[in-house]
Amino acid sequence: GQLTHYATSIHRSQFRVFSYSIILFGKAEGQLLRWDRSGAIYTEIFNWAKDPNTLSKFIWRLNSLTFAQCGYDTTVTSVSKNDKGVG
């Protein structure tokens, strides 16, 4: 429930199509999640202490993505100062 609340808050406050989460729990376990408006998909639980490559590769690849690949809605633009809006 709490993770869903966090993801929902991100999507409500930012113009996002999807987002990613990293969950670390237990002594050395984790999961990677991809959230969108219909829910989440997630990886199998992995042990990041025994296999640190899974987590480090994900973070490295995430850092290399474009804004669109990170889930930002690139069709959203700022309103100009001259735009009167509706009404």
Side-chain angles (χ1 to χ4, degrees):
Q2 190 171 6
L3 293 174
T4 303
H5 175 73
Y6 292 151
T8 302
S9 294
I10 290 169
H11 286 244
R12 284 185 180 160
S13 63
Q14 300 176 10
F15 295 107
R16 291 245 186 194
V17 179
F18 60 88
S19 61
Y20 296 104
S21 295
I22 300 170
I23 303 171
L24 303 177
F25 52 90
K27 292 188 179 188
E29 295 179 325
Q31 271 184 308
L32 308 175
L33 291 90
R34 181 192 181 274
W35 299 88
D36 61 24
R37 305 248 181 241
S38 63
I41 55 173
Y42 50 90
T43 65
E44 292 183 19
I45 294 172
F46 62 92
N47 186 311
W48 53 266
K50 290 182 182 175
D51 181 20
N53 287 333
T54 300
L55 186 57
S56 61
K57 281 183 183 179
F58 177 77
I59 293 170
W60 181 81
R61 289 176 179 166
L62 187 65
N63 189 52
S64 302
L65 298 177
T66 65
F67 280 122
Q69 292 170 326
C70 285
Y72 289 96
D73 186 348
T74 58
T75 64
V76 176
T77 59
S78 297
V79 177
S80 73
K81 291 181 181 180
N82 298 328
D83 190 358
K84 301 279 186 205
V86 177

PDB file of all heavy atoms in Angstrom, residues 62-82:
ATOM      1  N   LEU A  62      19.814   3.394 -15.926  1.00  0.00           N
ATOM      2  CA  LEU A  62      18.818   4.425 -15.636  1.00  0.00           C
ATOM      3  C   LEU A  62      19.430   5.813 -15.799  1.00  0.00           C
ATOM      4  O   LEU A  62      18.805   6.723 -16.343  1.00  0.00           O
ATOM      5  CB  LEU A  62      18.275   4.241 -14.217  1.00  0.00           C
ATOM      6  CG  LEU A  62      17.110   5.117 -13.792  1.00  0.00           C
ATOM      7  CD1 LEU A  62      15.872   4.805 -14.624  1.00  0.00           C
ATOM      8  CD2 LEU A  62      16.808   4.905 -12.312  1.00  0.00           C
ATOM      9  N   ASN A  63      20.651   5.979 -15.369  1.00  0.00           N
ATOM     10  CA  ASN A  63      21.353   7.256 -15.484  1.00  0.00           C
ATOM     11  C   ASN A  63      21.628   7.631 -16.939  1.00  0.00           C
ATOM     12  O   ASN A  63      21.807   8.805 -17.250  1.00  0.00           O
ATOM     13  CB  ASN A  63      22.662   7.197 -14.701  1.00  0.00           C
ATOM     14  CG  ASN A  63      23.333   8.532 -14.602  1.00  0.00           C
ATOM     15  OD1 ASN A  63      22.714   9.510 -14.208  1.00  0.00           O
ATOM     16  ND2 ASN A  63      24.602   8.583 -14.973  1.00  0.00           N
ATOM     17  N   SER A  64      21.646   6.650 -17.832  1.00  0.00           N
ATOM     18  CA  SER A  64      21.952   6.891 -19.239  1.00  0.00           C
ATOM     19  C   SER A  64      20.713   7.165 -20.092  1.00  0.00           C
ATOM     20  O   SER A  64      20.842   7.439 -21.281  1.00  0.00           O
ATOM     21  CB  SER A  64      22.681   5.678 -19.819  1.00  0.00           C
ATOM     22  OG  SER A  64      23.860   5.422 -19.091  1.00  0.00           O
ATOM     23  N   LEU A  65      19.527   7.092 -19.503  1.00  0.00           N
ATOM     24  CA  LEU A  65      18.289   7.238 -20.269  1.00  0.00           C
ATOM     25  C   LEU A  65      17.949   8.697 -20.547  1.00  0.00           C
ATOM     26  O   LEU A  65      18.334   9.594 -19.806  1.00  0.00           O
ATOM     27  CB  LEU A  65      17.117   6.595 -19.506  1.00  0.00           C
ATOM     28  CG  LEU A  65      17.209   5.098 -19.238  1.00  0.00           C
ATOM     29  CD1 LEU A  65      16.009   4.644 -18.415  1.00  0.00           C
ATOM     30  CD2 LEU A  65      17.301   4.315 -20.530  1.00  0.00           C
ATOM     31  N   THR A  66      17.173   8.903 -21.607  1.00  0.00           N
ATOM     32  CA  THR A  66      16.631  10.230 -21.901  1.00  0.00           C
ATOM     33  C   THR A  66      15.453  10.491 -20.965  1.00  0.00           C
ATOM     34  O   THR A  66      14.968   9.580 -20.283  1.00  0.00           O
ATOM     35  CB  THR A  66      16.130  10.300 -23.353  1.00  0.00           C
ATOM     36  OG1 THR A  66      15.023   9.395 -23.496  1.00  0.00           O
ATOM     37  CG2 THR A  66      17.234   9.957 -24.351  1.00  0.00           C
ATOM     38  N   PHE A  67      14.955  11.726 -20.959  1.00  0.00           N
ATOM     39  CA  PHE A  67      13.784  12.042 -20.140  1.00  0.00           C
ATOM     40  C   PHE A  67      12.592  11.165 -20.531  1.00  0.00           C
ATOM     41  O   PHE A  67      11.879  10.654 -19.670  1.00  0.00           O
ATOM     42  CB  PHE A  67      13.404  13.521 -20.265  1.00  0.00           C
ATOM     43  CG  PHE A  67      14.252  14.423 -19.432  1.00  0.00           C
ATOM     44  CD1 PHE A  67      14.973  15.445 -20.016  1.00  0.00           C
ATOM     45  CD2 PHE A  67      14.331  14.267 -18.068  1.00  0.00           C
ATOM     46  CE1 PHE A  67      15.761  16.289 -19.254  1.00  0.00           C
ATOM     47  CE2 PHE A  67      15.115  15.103 -17.284  1.00  0.00           C
ATOM     48  CZ  PHE A  67      15.825  16.112 -17.886  1.00  0.00           C
ATOM     49  N   ALA A  68      12.374  10.979 -21.821  1.00  0.00           N
ATOM     50  CA  ALA A  68      11.251  10.148 -22.283  1.00  0.00           C
ATOM     51  C   ALA A  68      11.430   8.706 -21.820  1.00  0.00           C
ATOM     52  O   ALA A  68      10.467   8.056 -21.403  1.00  0.00           O
ATOM     53  CB  ALA A  68      11.127  10.215 -23.799  1.00  0.00           C
ATOM     54  N   GLN A  69      12.654   8.184 -21.895  1.00  0.00           N
ATOM     55  CA  GLN A  69      12.909   6.814 -21.461  1.00  0.00           C
ATOM     56  C   GLN A  69      12.782   6.656 -19.951  1.00  0.00           C
ATOM     57  O   GLN A  69      12.569   5.565 -19.457  1.00  0.00           O
ATOM     58  CB  GLN A  69      14.298   6.369 -21.920  1.00  0.00           C
ATOM     59  CG  GLN A  69      14.413   6.221 -23.415  1.00  0.00           C
ATOM     60  CD  GLN A  69      15.852   6.020 -23.862  1.00  0.00           C
ATOM     61  OE1 GLN A  69      16.796   6.563 -23.277  1.00  0.00           O
ATOM     62  NE2 GLN A  69      16.025   5.233 -24.916  1.00  0.00           N
ATOM     63  N   CYS A  70      12.890   7.761 -19.215  1.00  0.00           N
ATOM     64  CA  CYS A  70      12.690   7.743 -17.756  1.00  0.00           C
ATOM     65  C   CYS A  70      11.225   7.899 -17.385  1.00  0.00           C
ATOM     66  O   CYS A  70      10.879   7.866 -16.207  1.00  0.00           O
ATOM     67  CB  CYS A  70      13.497   8.847 -17.091  1.00  0.00           C
ATOM     68  SG  CYS A  70      15.250   8.486 -17.007  1.00  0.00           S
ATOM     69  N   GLY A  71      10.373   8.087 -18.376  1.00  0.00           N
ATOM     70  CA  GLY A  71       8.944   8.143 -18.113  1.00  0.00           C
ATOM     71  C   GLY A  71       8.324   9.516 -18.134  1.00  0.00           C
ATOM     72  O   GLY A  71       7.117   9.652 -17.952  1.00  0.00           O
ATOM     73  N   TYR A  72       9.121  10.564 -18.362  1.00  0.00           N
ATOM     74  CA  TYR A  72       8.550  11.899 -18.418  1.00  0.00           C
ATOM     75  C   TYR A  72       7.726  12.065 -19.691  1.00  0.00           C
ATOM     76  O   TYR A  72       8.112  11.606 -20.759  1.00  0.00           O
ATOM     77  CB  TYR A  72       9.649  12.967 -18.382  1.00  0.00           C
ATOM     78  CG  TYR A  72      10.317  13.080 -17.041  1.00  0.00           C
ATOM     79  CD1 TYR A  72      11.511  12.418 -16.780  1.00  0.00           C
ATOM     80  CD2 TYR A  72       9.743  13.826 -16.026  1.00  0.00           C
ATOM     81  CE1 TYR A  72      12.122  12.508 -15.541  1.00  0.00           C
ATOM     82  CE2 TYR A  72      10.348  13.920 -14.783  1.00  0.00           C
ATOM     83  CZ  TYR A  72      11.534  13.255 -14.552  1.00  0.00           C
ATOM     84  OH  TYR A  72      12.130  13.343 -13.322  1.00  0.00           O
ATOM     85  N   ASP A  73       6.598  12.716 -19.567  1.00  0.00           N
ATOM     86  CA  ASP A  73       5.742  12.981 -20.717  1.00  0.00           C
ATOM     87  C   ASP A  73       6.309  14.179 -21.461  1.00  0.00           C
ATOM     88  O   ASP A  73       6.151  15.327 -21.040  1.00  0.00           O
ATOM     89  CB  ASP A  73       4.308  13.260 -20.255  1.00  0.00           C
ATOM     90  CG  ASP A  73       3.333  13.399 -21.407  1.00  0.00           C
ATOM     91  OD1 ASP A  73       3.769  13.515 -22.573  1.00  0.00           O
ATOM     92  OD2 ASP A  73       2.119  13.411 -21.136  1.00  0.00           O
ATOM     93  N   THR A  74       6.958  13.924 -22.568  1.00  0.00           N
ATOM     94  CA  THR A  74       7.645  14.984 -23.313  1.00  0.00           C
ATOM     95  C   THR A  74       6.690  15.817 -24.163  1.00  0.00           C
ATOM     96  O   THR A  74       7.111  16.781 -24.789  1.00  0.00           O
ATOM     97  CB  THR A  74       8.751  14.389 -24.204  1.00  0.00           C
ATOM     98  OG1 THR A  74       8.166  13.432 -25.085  1.00  0.00           O
ATOM     99  CG2 THR A  74       9.824  13.726 -23.358  1.00  0.00           C
ATOM    100  N   THR A  75       5.400  15.476 -24.180  1.00  0.00           N
ATOM    101  CA  THR A  75       4.430  16.280 -24.926  1.00  0.00           C
ATOM    102  C   THR A  75       3.949  17.474 -24.110  1.00  0.00           C
ATOM    103  O   THR A  75       3.311  18.367 -24.645  1.00  0.00           O
ATOM    104  CB  THR A  75       3.206  15.442 -25.353  1.00  0.00           C
ATOM    105  OG1 THR A  75       2.501  14.998 -24.181  1.00  0.00           O
ATOM    106  CG2 THR A  75       3.632  14.246 -26.195  1.00  0.00           C
ATOM    107  N   VAL A  76       4.261  17.511 -22.829  1.00  0.00           N
ATOM    108  CA  VAL A  76       3.853  18.616 -21.957  1.00  0.00           C
ATOM    109  C   VAL A  76       4.828  19.775 -22.139  1.00  0.00           C
ATOM    110  O   VAL A  76       6.037  19.587 -22.126  1.00  0.00           O
ATOM    111  CB  VAL A  76       3.828  18.167 -20.479  1.00  0.00           C
ATOM    112  CG1 VAL A  76       3.491  19.339 -19.573  1.00  0.00           C
ATOM    113  CG2 VAL A  76       2.848  17.031 -20.286  1.00  0.00           C
ATOM    114  N   THR A  77       4.279  20.967 -22.316  1.00  0.00           N
ATOM    115  CA  THR A  77       5.105  22.160 -22.466  1.00  0.00           C
ATOM    116  C   THR A  77       4.642  23.237 -21.492  1.00  0.00           C
ATOM    117  O   THR A  77       3.502  23.207 -21.005  1.00  0.00           O
ATOM    118  CB  THR A  77       5.038  22.716 -23.904  1.00  0.00           C
ATOM    119  OG1 THR A  77       3.682  23.032 -24.209  1.00  0.00           O
ATOM    120  CG2 THR A  77       5.568  21.715 -24.911  1.00  0.00           C
ATOM    121  N   SER A  78       5.494  24.187 -21.242  1.00  0.00           N
ATOM    122  CA  SER A  78       5.151  25.303 -20.360  1.00  0.00           C
ATOM    123  C   SER A  78       4.170  26.230 -21.049  1.00  0.00           C
ATOM    124  O   SER A  78       4.194  26.402 -22.272  1.00  0.00           O
ATOM    125  CB  SER A  78       6.404  26.097 -19.990  1.00  0.00           C
ATOM    126  OG  SER A  78       7.298  25.294 -19.279  1.00  0.00           O
ATOM    127  N   VAL A  79       3.329  26.850 -20.261  1.00  0.00           N
ATOM    128  CA  VAL A  79       2.389  27.836 -20.776  1.00  0.00           C
ATOM    129  C   VAL A  79       3.149  29.147 -20.952  1.00  0.00           C
ATOM    130  O   VAL A  79       3.916  29.558 -20.076  1.00  0.00           O
ATOM    131  CB  VAL A  79       1.219  28.027 -19.778  1.00  0.00           C
ATOM    132  CG1 VAL A  79       0.267  29.119 -20.264  1.00  0.00           C
ATOM    133  CG2 VAL A  79       0.489  26.732 -19.568  1.00  0.00           C
ATOM    134  N   SER A  80       2.939  29.784 -22.084  1.00  0.00           N
ATOM    135  CA  SER A  80       3.631  31.061 -22.316  1.00  0.00           C
ATOM    136  C   SER A  80       2.981  32.167 -21.489  1.00  0.00           C
ATOM    137  O   SER A  80       1.826  32.069 -21.089  1.00  0.00           O
ATOM    138  CB  SER A  80       3.587  31.418 -23.808  1.00  0.00           C
ATOM    139  OG  SER A  80       2.294  31.832 -24.167  1.00  0.00           O
ATOM    140  N   LYS A  81       3.734  33.226 -21.249  1.00  0.00           N
ATOM    141  CA  LYS A  81       3.216  34.356 -20.460  1.00  0.00           C
ATOM    142  C   LYS A  81       2.065  35.057 -21.183  1.00  0.00           C
ATOM    143  O   LYS A  81       1.228  35.688 -20.565  1.00  0.00           O
ATOM    144  CB  LYS A  81       4.343  35.342 -20.174  1.00  0.00           C
ATOM    145  CG  LYS A  81       5.375  34.797 -19.234  1.00  0.00           C
ATOM    146  CD  LYS A  81       6.462  35.807 -18.966  1.00  0.00           C
ATOM    147  CE  LYS A  81       7.497  35.226 -18.049  1.00  0.00           C
ATOM    148  NZ  LYS A  81       8.577  36.164 -17.754  1.00  0.00           N
ATOM    149  N   ASN A  82       2.023  34.953 -22.499  1.00  0.00           N
ATOM    150  CA  ASN A  82       0.987  35.607 -23.286  1.00  0.00           C
ATOM    151  C   ASN A  82      -0.296  34.789 -23.393  1.00  0.00           C
ATOM    152  O   ASN A  82      -1.303  35.297 -23.875  1.00  0.00           O
ATOM    153  CB  ASN A  82       1.504  35.925 -24.695  1.00  0.00           C
ATOM    154  CG  ASN A  82       2.679  36.880 -24.660  1.00  0.00           C
ATOM    155  OD1 ASN A  82       2.754  37.729 -23.768  1.00  0.00           O
ATOM    156  ND2 ASN A  82       3.587  36.740 -25.596  1.00  0.00           N
TER     157      ASN A  82
END
